[in-house]
Amino acid sequence: MKRAAPGEFEIIREYFAGAPIGEGVVLGIGDDCALLQPPAGALLATSVDTLVADRHFPASADPAAIAARALRVNLSDLAAMNAQPLWFTLALTLPHSDADWLQAFADGLLQTAKTYGVALVGGDTTCGPLSLTIQVTGSSQKPLRRDGARVGDAIYVSGELGASAAALPLVLGQKLAGKAEMEAAERAFYYPEPQLVTSAAIGGFASSALDISDGLLADLGHICAASGVSADVDMHALPVAPLARQLAGERALELAATGGDDYQLCFTVPQQQVATLEKLGLDAVCIGTIVEGRGEVHAWLDGERWFPEAAGYEHF
Ligand code: ADP
Ligand code: MG
């Protein structure tokens, strides 16, 4: 039997107010503001992201998966700055109150929060078209910015690229697939891994970093623009995800270069630190070099310039 639809305050009390208290939380959910004690000597890093139904995910998607993705994507921004997650808030807009949906959503959210040691400290609950906004705050002793890349630096990418973009048509129901492929696609799309371990490892010596949300070449362009340099990228060096090859075939390389939503890190390392990095044995590969220029990214394939058919994602 379907459970009765809870009201606004019941939603907050039932599903969110019981969230575990985290480090530095003097006062959590329930008052007009949360009261938070930042770690001594650290900078706070804060970021917000909104996911809109039928724009960023299908409205009919598994609520636990939606919640997981929303929080993971935000944590990825903290990873990109070499910040450790502390707290987050949730602004949730729901078309209607549905106890089963809320239970699955809250379970997915709080499970993810537990995995990454981040505490839900407040939010807002409203009625309207399904969307969720999460703001995360973390602390950083050694932030990694976009504007520190210098000519000669090596460019690295963590993990694998292209899986999420290759998974998107399946996740959106635009392309049919077998059960195993569907599950792999949903894992890639809804459960990106925020690269917190990698960023903590490189924080001491990397010259710049960001997370790849809009596509490698477009995002690397942001590093170049902010740093006043350009980049040469060797397309053969891109770590193309096996799932991208499986789902997208010949287009896998293009998706690795331009597809969004992988949430891997792109970072630069001064040449004299490359040996230090390589010794760490991280899951990261060198894909190119920072060169003189004015914010351009040049991709090369077999000695010739390579151009994507599609550019990175922009909202407008
Ligand atoms: P106010 O009217 O003062 O803005 P609300 O009634 O919106 O407060 O919220 C009451 C308390 O519940 C606040 O502490 C707020 O942070 C928290 N809250 C509301 N919605 C959520 C949510 N979706 N997740 C977590 N906390 C929430
Ligand atoms: Mg309110």
Side-chain angles (χ1 to χ4, degrees):
M1 203 183 72
K2 203 138 173 81
R3 286 188 277 170
E8 178 187 340
F9 294 108
E10 202 183 338
I11 290 175
I12 298 169
R13 199 173 58 238
E14 271 293 304
Y15 302 101
F16 302 114
I21 302 280
E23 193 184 319
V25 180
V26 177
L27 186 63
I29 294 169
D31 212 315
D32 293 304
C33 292
L35 295 174
L36 307 167
Q37 180 69 60
L43 286 175
L44 291 181
T46 188
S47 172
V48 63
D49 256 307
T50 296
L51 298 190
V52 178
D54 293 330
R55 167 76 39 154
H56 298 101
F57 62 88
S60 61
D62 170 13
I66 297 170
R69 177 170 152 78
L71 186 51
R72 283 164 177 261
V73 164
N74 274 279
L75 292 171
S76 174
D77 281 321
L78 291 183
M81 297 297 290
N82 185 28
Q84 299 307 305
L86 289 169
W87 315 301
F88 73 107
T89 58
L90 165 72
L92 183 59
T93 304
L94 299 169
H96 50 256
S97 168
D98 176 333
D100 295 329
W101 193 97
L102 278 159
Q103 188 65 61
F105 178 88
D107 287 349
L109 185 77
L110 297 182
Q111 182 55 51
T112 309
K114 191 171 158 202
T115 301
Y116 294 102
V118 62
L120 178 63
V121 297
D124 197 23
T125 306
T126 51
C127 185
L130 178 60
S131 98
L132 52 149
T133 298
I134 287 180
Q135 179 170 33
V136 283
T137 301
S139 70
S140 184
Q141 302 284 352
K142 196 97 185 37
L144 281 173
R145 301 162 48 139
R146 296 180 176 193
D147 60 5
R150 297 293 173 259
V151 172
D153 288 0
I155 306 165
Y156 279 80
V157 165
S158 70
E160 292 163 348
L161 299 175
S164 204
L168 192 60
L170 279 66
V171 168
L172 296 179
Q174 294 165 347
K175 190 172 149 190
L176 292 179
K179 190 163 178 279
E181 280 190 336
M182 200 61 205
E183 279 173 11
E186 287 181 340
R187 246 193 335 275
F189 183 78
Y190 288 112
Y191 297 87
E193 189 65 53
Q195 296 297 305
L196 293 156
V197 174
T198 298
S199 74
I202 63 169
F205 57 83
S207 51
S208 73
L210 51 56
D211 65 331
I212 303 170
S213 54
D214 297 334
L216 168 66
L217 300 184
D219 284 322
L220 177 55
H222 299 318
I223 286 185
C224 289
S227 302
V229 295
S230 287
D232 278 338
V233 171
D234 174 9
M235 292 294 288
H236 281 304
L238 300 196
V240 181
L243 185 65
R245 291 197 198 284
Q246 189 187 328
L247 298 179
E250 284 177 356
R251 288 196 58 234
L253 182 62
E254 165 143 19
L255 293 182
T258 64
D261 297 328
D262 282 314
Y263 299 100
Q264 293 295 336
L265 295 182
C266 176
F267 57 96
T268 58
V269 177
Q271 284 299 333
Q272 63 272 25
Q273 304 286 355
V274 164
T276 309
L277 170 72
E278 294 289 345
K279 255 187 255 145
L280 293 175
L282 297 173
D283 179 15
V285 292
C286 181
I287 58 152
T289 312
I290 295 294
V291 295
E292 270 176 42
R294 289 199 266 156
E296 290 125 39
V297 177
H298 299 146
W300 298 91
L301 185 67
D302 298 325
E304 302 211 11
R305 278 290 298 282
W306 178 91
F307 295 94
E309 272 166 36
Y313 188 77
E314 281 193 43
H315 287 271
F316 297 101

